[in-house]
Amino acid sequence: ETGVTQSPTHLIKTRGQQVTLRCSSQSGHNTVSWYQQALGQGPQFIFQYYREEENGRGNFPPRFSGLQFPNYSSELNVNALELDDSALYLCASTPGGQETQYFGPGTRLLVL
Amino acid sequence: SQQGEEDPQALSIQEGENATMNCSYKTSINNLQWYRQNSGRGLVHLILIRSNEREKHSGRLRVTLDTSKKSSSLLITASRAADTASYFCATDSKGSGNTGKLIFGQGTTLQVKP
């Protein structure tokens, strides 16, 4: 049990819609990272937030955006959904001063 | 882009046997981490090895790191059916702004038959 929760667990959207995924981590985990995992692939880094500011971004377009809140929760927003956005979205939090990332169970997004 | 390549892609063994998975990567790293994933769920952290370490143990797990060859291996001894899962290596690369950005391989799917 990592103490990282994500909601919802599953979601179905249609192409062109917008989606917000949520993540909640433990107190003191001031870094949160988001990953996209397509079926049969390893996770790919989307971006990272540290103390509510973006702290690094992977090769994802601007329609992928995020927020981190003071209560150790965060959001991943995706606009103008495309079919290829169908994937498992994982958030991971890191306690201050540590290197290990603790992953949530993920949100499985299907775009039709 | 994927940093690591894992070998084999799939592995099937009998309970009690040892399982070895290999990972290669491309850039200099701060550390390398191994994760387990059951049935497309969240990843469970197994072990972290830093670039200045060569070997690390945790229970039935043994990880080695060879930075000259840019490779790592994960050995699971005395495997159990519950070890059936996908295993991923992930690297935290050196360089400003890279710390904490994990780059994953494509994983090894391990099946342990009872």
Side-chain angles (χ1 to χ4, degrees):
Chain A
E1 196 61 47
T2 64
V4 181
T5 59
Q6 290 187 244
S7 63
T9 55
H10 297 81
L11 198 54
I12 300 175
K13 291 285 189 178
T14 55
R15 195 169 43 182
Q17 285 189 312
Q18 178 266 342
V19 70
T20 297
L21 310 181
R22 293 181 173 83
C23 172
S24 179
S25 55
Q26 296 184 56
S27 175
H29 287 218
N30 49 23
T31 301
V32 65
S33 304
W34 285 89
Y35 295 83
Q36 180 196 66
Q37 186 178 20
L39 201 61
Q41 304 291 317
Q44 291 205 9
F45 176 79
I46 303 175
F47 46 56
Q48 181 183 89
Y49 278 79
Y50 173 69
R51 293 187 175 178
E52 302 164 47
E53 292 196 3
E54 189 176 291
N55 185 42
R57 188 177 185 92
N59 190 26
F60 281 81
R63 60 190 185 84
F64 286 78
S65 63
L67 287 171
Q68 185 186 25
F69 303 101
N71 65 351
Y72 303 104
S73 66
S74 63
E75 289 181 355
L76 164 65
N77 298 288
V78 188
N79 293 322
L81 283 167
E82 300 177 359
L83 298 180
D84 285 348
D85 295 335
S86 295
L88 180 68
Y89 288 85
L90 297 159
C91 77
S93 68
T94 304
Q98 293 189 27
E99 297 163 285
T100 299
Q101 296 190 20
Y102 296 93
F103 282 79
T107 293
R108 189 164 295 283
L109 172 65
L110 178 61
V111 182
L112 301 175
Chain B
S1 62
Q2 300 285 346
Q3 155 89 302
E5 293 186 3
E6 293 176 69
D7 170 55
Q9 288 190 338
L11 182 60
S12 182
I13 59 174
Q14 294 294 133
E15 212 166 22
E17 294 181 337
N18 295 339
T20 299
M21 291 160 254
N22 302 296
C23 167
S24 61
Y25 57 91
K26 298 174 184 173
T27 63
S28 295
I29 61 172
N30 291 314
N31 64 64
L32 185 145
Q33 304 179 38
W34 285 90
Y35 286 85
R36 184 185 76 224
Q37 185 176 42
N38 291 83
S39 302
R41 297 184 178 179
L43 280 75
V44 175
H45 183 262
L46 297 176
I47 199 162
L48 180 153
I49 186 165
R50 293 189 173 81
S51 60
N52 62 351
E53 297 176 311
R54 292 296 166 260
E55 187 170 313
K56 211 162 181 182
H57 297 254
S58 176
R60 295 185 294 115
L61 306 180
R62 173 180 167 248
V63 168
T64 62
L65 179 65
D66 187 336
T67 53
S68 66
K69 295 181 179 177
K70 292 186 168 59
S71 67
S72 174
S73 67
L74 170 67
L75 169 68
I76 304 174
T77 60
S79 63
R80 305 166 182 168
D83 295 329
T84 295
S86 293
Y87 291 82
F88 294 91
C89 69
T91 53
D92 182 353
S93 297
K94 282 188 178 176
S96 63
N98 282 344
T99 300
K101 171 187 173 181
L102 292 181
I103 302 178
F104 285 81
Q106 295 205 337
T108 293
T109 300
L110 172 66
Q111 182 186 30
V112 180
K113 299 176 184 176

